[in-house]
Amino acid sequence: MAVAACVALVACGPEETREDADAKPSRSSASARAQEPSATPSASARPGKPTAARTADTPAPRTEERAIQRYGQYLHALGREDIDTVCEVAGPAARKAQDQGLGPCTSTYALVVQMISPEQKRALQTATVDPQRIVVRTPVKIEMPVEAVRASVTFSESDLGSYTLEYLEDDWYITD
């Protein structure tokens, strides 16, 4: 499917990130869990538990739960056609894609969302992530296979693809 090809290209290519995507040692908050603002649905593995909020001055927790939540933000934003949020979360991967000639994240994802069916967009808006299906590669690198996405429609590799999130600059970002 054309959507999957574009998404795969964006996810595997360069993108715009905040400041610089170079991995830096960062502070860890092993037991804290972040919760996105209440206006945005959460993809947390255990909804309802109190969590620490992420602010500009506070690093996000370097936890599986935060990585899942962050990927959920990306999925929900993709479904809402919220390109700014998509590009913020997928910044490092989009920069790679841009370096390979795909263009800036905002214009590339504007094309991607046009190729996603209305049914898939609705499903992405409420999608969650099954924590049992993610793969923790290192404490700062987590694989989000397409099989981990729980939605009202089934997504395949060609529809959505799998992603790698890495903890960079005090939060989780899609890097591949």
Side-chain angles (χ1 to χ4, degrees), residues 4-95:
C6 272
V7 171
L9 289 173
V10 171
C12 294
E15 156 178 331
E16 306 153 348
T17 64
R18 22 175 246 218
E19 307 198 23
D20 180 27
D22 293 336
K24 300 179 193 174
S26 58
R27 300 173 299 255
S28 174
S29 178
S31 63
R33 296 178 60 185
Q35 181 178 12
E36 59 189 293
S38 59
T40 306
S42 174
S44 175
R46 295 179 200 110
K49 283 194 162 192
T51 60
R54 163 96 165 103
T55 66
D57 298 334
T58 308
R62 190 172 21 177
T63 61
E64 292 175 37
E65 291 86 0
R66 174 59 181 169
I68 289 169
Q69 177 193 40
R70 191 79 157 138
Y71 185 53
Q73 288 175 334
Y74 167 82
L75 296 172
H76 299 162
L78 192 59
R80 289 188 319 267
E81 300 183 33
D82 177 357
I83 304 301
D84 290 338
T85 300
V86 167
C87 289
E88 198 275 323
V89 175
R95 272 194 298 276

Side-chain angles (χ1 to χ4, degrees), residues 78-145:
L78 192 59
R80 289 188 319 267
E81 300 183 33
D82 177 357
I83 304 301
D84 290 338
T85 300
V86 167
C87 289
E88 198 275 323
V89 175
R95 272 194 298 276
K96 290 178 192 174
Q98 185 172 353
D99 291 345
Q100 295 171 358
L102 287 181
C105 181
T106 52
S107 60
T108 302
Y109 267 105
L111 293 173
V112 168
V113 297
Q114 291 177 10
M115 293 186 268
I116 300 172
S117 75
E119 180 184 26
Q120 289 173 319
K121 286 177 189 173
R122 283 189 300 277
L124 286 169
Q125 290 174 27
T126 59
T128 60
V129 179
D130 181 349
Q132 301 298 325
R133 294 191 174 259
I134 68 169
V135 180
V136 178
R137 297 287 180 205
T138 71
V140 296
K141 190 173 193 174
I142 296 179
E143 304 284 331
M144 298 288 182

